[in-house]
Amino acid sequence: MILEKWKMLKLVNADVSLNSAARRIMIFLLDRENSKTKALFPSHQRIAADSNLHERSVRRGLHSLIDNGYLEVLEKGTPGHSTRYKIIMTKQSSKVD
């Protein structure tokens, strides 16, 4: 699992279509993902605090990761409930080895 996350991080860092906020966010998301359940539902505020980014930068970074196929929204959040995400690890198998 750690090797998969490392490869994913290399892939994200090499992708010139991603902004720097997206790269920082992916580091955070890979660290926060539950290794057994793959659960991932941090709030924008939590991501901003942990990655030292403004909340607007977090939203742009998340959209960049989603638009480039690195992240999928499983369930849209509502006030008081965070959005559930899934890191798409299959993207890496075709590009990095």
Side-chain angles (χ1 to χ4, degrees), residues 3-75:
L3 183 58
E4 287 179 22
K5 288 183 177 186
W6 179 252
K7 286 181 179 182
M8 185 61 158
L9 189 56
K10 284 177 58 177
L11 179 65
V12 167
N13 279 319
D15 192 337
V16 296
S17 65
L18 295 175
N19 58 31
S20 62
R23 291 183 184 105
R24 288 169 74 178
I25 291 167
M26 182 56 83
I27 293 168
F28 167 81
L29 294 176
L30 287 168
D31 183 53
R32 289 288 181 151
E33 181 185 49
N34 184 305
S35 59
K36 291 181 182 177
T37 66
K38 304 297 182 197
L40 188 60
F41 44 90
S43 68
H44 291 176
Q45 293 170 330
R46 168 58 52 201
I47 297 170
D50 287 356
S51 60
N52 201 26
L53 292 168
H54 191 274
E55 281 189 54
R56 182 66 186 131
S57 295
V58 168
R59 286 193 293 274
R60 281 193 298 264
L62 287 169
H63 284 292
S64 181
L65 290 168
I66 293 165
D67 292 344
N68 286 285
Y70 293 102
L71 197 61
E72 177 183 354
V73 174
L74 296 178
E75 184 179 338

